[in-house]
Amino acid sequence: MKFLHLISVNLRRKKLRTLLTAGSFMVALLLYGLLMTIKVALSGGVDVAGADRLVVLNRVSLIMPLPISYKEQIQRIPHVADLTFATWFGGYYQDMKNFFPNYAVDPESYPRVYSEYLLSEEELAAFRADRQGCIVSPPLAERFGFKVGDRIPLEGTIWQGTWELNARGIYEVSRGEMLTSEMWFQYDYMEERRQFFKGTVGWYVVKVDDPANAMEVATAIDTRFRNSPFETKTDTEKAFAAGFANQIGNIRLLILSIGSVVFFTLLLVTGNSVAISVRERTGELAVMKTVGFSDASILTLVMAESLVVSAVGGGIGLLLAKFFTLGGDPTGGMLPYFYLPGRSMLAGFGVALAAGAGAGIIPAVGAMRLKIVDALRRV
Amino acid sequence: MVRVDGKGSGAVVELRNLDKKYYRGEEEIDVLRGLNLDVDAGEFIAFMGPSGSGKTTLLNLIGGLDTPTAGTVRVNGDEISALSGRKLAAWRARNIGFIFQMYNLIPVLTAFQNVQLPLLLTGLGRAERRKHVEAALGLVGLSDRMNHYPRQLSGGQEQRAAIARAIVTDPKILLCDEPTGDLDRAAGDEILDIISRLSKEYGKTVFLVTHDPMAAKRASTVLHLDKGTLLECTADGQLVCGTEEVRR
C-alpha cells in the first residue's frame, strides 16, 4: 500500500502519455467487447441454450422439413421427457425491413419445453384458445408498440399472403440475455392455410430426463429414422445454435484474428511507452536501488505501473462496451441476442492484464538489471 | 584512526588488497590496485586525487554499489563483497547514507516524500515515518520546505534534502560524492557544516570525495588516490604509503 503513491506519481508525471496508453487499452477493449457482443449475437444464443434439450433436424438441410408423424415415434424413445416442434415462418410486419424471427409452434408443448419464457396462466390460456393467437417477446413489443389484444398482420415470405394474428401474451424471461426479438403463433393456423409442406414441421425439440442421457437419446432418434425418406440429425441445442452461427462464417476465427492484431498492437504501444518511461527514469531507479530498493521491488514497481494502466484503460473500455449493449440491439431486431456476457468481460480484463504484463516485463527486467554505478554515471 | 598499510584490525571499514578493473572493449583498466584501508568509527575521511584516480569507485565499493575484482570489503564486520544483490540492497538500506553531487532527488516527490523513500523499506508505520522524516529535515534546517518539490528548492536546499534522505534511517556511514561540486561557495559551506556536524555530534563515519582542498580541510584525514593507490597526507603535508613511483 505504501508504494501506491510512488506508482501513482510516476503515472502522473507524463499525463498525456499515460492517458494515451490507457486510451489505447480502452479503445482495444471497447472493440473487443463489441466484437464479443456481435459474436454472441451471431451465435444465436449458444449461451442461453438448454443443456437438457436436443434439436432434431432434417439430415439434408435446416430448411428441409420433417414429418409431423415423427412426434409420436420420438416420444416413445427412452429418456425423452417432453417434446415440441416449430416451423420457421419468415414473415415480416408491414415492411420487409421490419423483419424478425417468427415461428409456428405447438401452443401446448412449446411453452412447456421452453419453461424459462414466463407467461401468466391467463395469457397461456388465451394463446391456446385462439387459433390466430400469438406471443411476442418484450423487445419486439417495445419495437413496434405491440400490446396484448392487438391485431398484428404478418406478411408471409415463404407462404405468401397476409396472416392476421392476435397478440395474446408478452413473455418475461428469467435472464436478461434471453431477451430476443421473436414471435410464436399457432402451428395449426399455419398448417390450415399454407399451400405446401403440409403435414411437416421445421424441427423438433426434445427434452431429455437427464442431460447425461442426451447423446444416447440423440443416437437413438437418428438410428430410428435412418434409411427413411426423412433422415434426422439430432444435436444438443447448444451445438445447433453454434452450427447455425457457423453458417455465417467462422466467427471465432474472425474474432480471434482481430483480437490477436489488437493484442499485438497493444503490446507494442504499451511496451514502447513503458520502455521510454523507464529510460527517462534511469537515474531515479539507480537512486532507489542505492537507498535499498531491491531488484525485485524495482521490477514490481515498473510492472505495477504497466498493469495499472492496462487495468484502468481496459476496464473503462469494457464498461463502455457493456454500457453500449445495455441500449439493446441497435439494428432493431437483426441481432436478436445482443449482450456482452460477464465471462467475456472477465476474459477481456484478463487479456488487458496479460497485455499490460507482456508490455511491462521487458522494460521492468531492464530496470531490475540496471547496474547502479553505470546508471549513476549517466545522470 | 586511519591506516592504509593493511595492518589495522577491528575498524568499522576494512579494505584488504582491493583490486578493481574495468574493461573497455579489449582494454583492461586498473582503477584500484591492492588497496588497503582501515577506518575507525566516527572518522571523517576526504578522498582527493585527479579525475579518474578511482575516488568514486572506492566510494562505490565501500557502499556496496559495486563489487571488487579482487580483495575484500568489510564494513561493520560484514563482508559486503560476498553478499548477494538482495542482501546487499537490504544492507545498504540499514548501514549507508549516500549524498551525490547532483542531489538526485526524485522530481515528482516533495522534499518530505523524497526523504521518506528509504523508510518505505522499513516496517515503520506512517506516523513513525513522519516523525523520522521531520527530524531529519529539521536537522538540515529544511522543516519549512518539506512540502516543496525539488524544482521549488535552491541547489543548497536540494542538497540538504538529499542529506536528510541519507540520514533518515540513521546509518553509521555517510558516503558523499562531491556534495558541493554543483554549489556556490556559500551554499557549499553550509553543506559541509552539516556534514561536519553529522560527524562530530552524531558520530557518523564520513567518506567525502572532493576536488576542493577547502572541503577536504573539514576532514580529520585526507587520503590521496593516484593510479589506484592510496596515500595518506600527514599533518606536515608528507605523503606516506603508496608505491615509490607515486611518491616520487
Side-chain angles (χ1 to χ4, degrees), chain A residues 239-303:
Chain A
F240 167 70
F244 195 78
N246 285 340
Q247 290 183 338
I248 299 163
N250 194 337
I251 300 164
R252 186 181 289 273
L253 180 67
L254 189 74
I255 303 274
L256 205 68
S257 306
I258 298 172
S260 302
V261 171
V262 169
F263 183 80
F264 189 67
T265 310
L266 264 186
L267 273 184
L268 295 182
V269 169
T270 315
N272 183 48
S273 173
V274 180
I276 291 171
S277 167
V278 167
R279 198 158 54 239
E280 285 172 351
R281 286 185 284 146
T282 301
E284 291 173 28
L285 293 170
V287 170
M288 288 171 74
K289 283 185 162 194
T290 302
V291 301
F293 279 77
S294 65
D295 290 347
S297 55
I298 294 290
L299 176 97
T300 308
L301 281 173
V302 176
M303 284 297 286

Side-chain angles (χ1 to χ4, degrees), chain A residues 63-365:
Chain A
I63 59 169
M64 296 301 289
L66 290 169
I68 187 77
S69 58
Y70 278 14
K71 183 182 165 195
E72 281 74 27
Q73 297 180 61
I74 294 172
Q75 266 171 336
R76 283 199 294 272
I77 289 172
H79 304 299
V80 172
D82 206 345
L83 172 74
T84 189
F85 55 85
T87 301
W88 178 262
F89 182 67
Y92 61 86
Y93 176 64
Q94 292 180 336
D95 193 297
M96 280 288 272
K97 67 176 186 251
N98 292 337
F99 174 80
F100 55 87
N102 40 75
Y103 323 101
V105 304
D106 176 26
E108 291 300 326
S109 58
Y110 200 82
R112 208 171 56 227
V113 170
Y114 285 97
S115 54
E116 61 268 39
Y117 297 100
L118 309 172
L119 285 159
S120 68
E121 287 297 324
E122 293 75 30
E123 285 175 319
L124 259 181
F127 174 50
R128 285 168 177 159
D130 182 1
R131 183 168 284 242
Q132 288 176 276
C134 70
I135 299 291
V136 295
S137 68
L140 191 65
E142 190 181 334
R143 181 180 168 195
F144 296 115
F146 294 151
K147 300 184 297 295
V148 173
D150 281 358
R151 188 87 169 152
I152 303 173
L154 215 57
E155 296 299 324
T157 54
I158 302 169
W159 294 284
Q160 303 292 320
T162 302
W163 299 65
E164 296 285 344
L165 299 168
N166 304 314
R168 293 303 178 197
I170 300 171
Y171 64 64
E172 290 175 10
V173 291
S174 51
R175 286 160 58 195
E177 57 262 37
M178 289 160 57
L179 281 175
T180 168
S181 283
E182 65 171 14
M183 172 191 277
W184 317 334
F185 65 93
Q186 284 214 18
Y187 172 82
D188 287 348
Y189 177 48
M190 183 186 73
E191 182 67 1
E192 73 180 17
R193 274 195 57 187
R194 66 177 169 175
Q195 301 86 1
F196 53 92
F197 281 155
K198 276 185 176 290
T200 65
V201 300
W203 62 89
Y204 289 96
V205 180
V206 176
K207 193 165 186 176
V208 292
D209 55 3
D210 185 337
N213 296 324
M215 290 326 293
E216 184 187 334
V217 173
T219 307
I221 292 169
D222 291 346
T223 306
R224 174 72 187 79
F225 301 112
R226 188 167 296 155
N227 298 322
S228 74
F230 297 92
E231 288 194 357
T232 59
K233 183 176 183 298
T234 307
D235 230 328
T236 60
E237 196 173 56
K238 204 174 267 290
F240 167 70
F244 195 78
N246 285 340
Q247 290 183 338
I248 299 163
N250 194 337
I251 300 164
R252 186 181 289 273
L253 180 67
L254 189 74
I255 303 274
L256 205 68
S257 306
I258 298 172
S260 302
V261 171
V262 169
F263 183 80
F264 189 67
T265 310
L266 264 186
L267 273 184
L268 295 182
V269 169
T270 315
N272 183 48
S273 173
V274 180
I276 291 171
S277 167
V278 167
R279 198 158 54 239
E280 285 172 351
R281 286 185 284 146
T282 301
E284 291 173 28
L285 293 170
V287 170
M288 288 171 74
K289 283 185 162 194
T290 302
V291 301
F293 279 77
S294 65
D295 290 347
S297 55
I298 294 290
L299 176 97
T300 308
L301 281 173
V302 176
M303 284 297 286
E305 288 173 29
S306 182
L307 287 172
V308 166
V309 169
S310 62
V312 171
I316 292 172
L318 285 170
L319 288 176
L320 284 177
K322 184 68 182 175
F323 184 72
F324 180 77
T325 60
L326 290 179
D329 173 12
T331 65
M334 294 297 286
L335 300 170
Y337 295 95
F338 196 79
Y339 67 98
L340 177 59
R343 69 165 184 275
S344 294
M345 289 184 75
L346 264 180
F349 196 66
V351 166
L353 289 180
I361 191 72
I362 293 174
V365 168

Side-chain angles (χ1 to χ4, degrees), chain B residues 1-8 15-16 36-38 232 241:
Chain B
M1 177 159 166
V2 180
R3 295 182 71 105
V4 295
D5 55 5
K7 290 175 183 163
L15 313 182
R16 287 291 176 271
N36 292 296
L37 179 66
D38 291 87
E232 191 175 1
C241 198

